[in-house]
Amino acid sequence: MVNLIRAGCNLRIVGDKGFDDDKLRDTLRALGHQPCFPTKKNRKHQVRIPKKLYRTRYRVENFFCRLKRWGCTATRRDKLAQNFLSLIHFAAVIDWLRS
């Protein structure tokens, strides 16, 4: 999961170990953003990340877990992307109203 956190004029992109890639890190830095991904264990050069910032990503992961409760979003039964996106928006609004 990727989380976007505003930090001044640029964004800090927070994600899990699956996003640990030099090409992605370089692209994000070229766009003026700061990547915050932990490095994989088999990486030669470990990259330090702010632990406090990285801990905030659980909110995004929990949101996606709540979205999966809606069966149609988990299996993507809608054939059209527009219908799928509208269901995601609807589920997000319902989730936001409950909290």
Side-chain angles (χ1 to χ4, degrees):
M1 305 296 144
V2 175
N3 188 7
L4 304 176
I5 299 174
R6 279 250 180 241
C9 60
N10 61 357
L11 293 176
R12 291 184 180 172
I13 313 295
V14 182
D16 58 4
K17 290 182 180 183
F19 294 100
D20 181 31
D21 182 40
D22 288 332
K23 186 176 179 181
L24 178 61
R25 286 179 190 270
D26 294 339
T27 303
L28 290 173
R29 285 188 187 115
L31 293 172
H33 306 312
Q34 179 183 0
C36 183
F37 311 136
T39 55
K40 296 178 183 175
K41 290 182 181 181
N42 62 352
R43 189 179 177 99
K44 289 182 180 179
H45 304 287
Q46 297 290 319
V47 178
R48 290 185 170 259
I49 61 167
K51 297 255 183 196
K52 188 175 181 180
L53 179 66
Y54 180 69
R55 288 182 185 146
T56 61
R57 79 180 180 92
Y58 79 93
R59 293 180 182 167
V60 175
E61 286 192 24
N62 289 345
F63 172 70
F64 279 102
C65 287
R66 289 190 303 270
L67 273 183
K68 288 179 183 179
R69 291 182 193 158
W70 294 70
C72 295
T73 60
T75 58
R76 188 154 192 244
R77 292 183 189 148
D78 293 318
K79 293 183 180 180
L80 297 177
Q82 182 180 4
N83 294 346
F84 179 69
L85 185 60
S86 63
L87 179 65
I88 295 290
H89 287 167
F90 180 72
V93 168
I94 296 297
D95 183 64
W96 177 68
L97 289 174
R98 286 185 180 171
S99 61

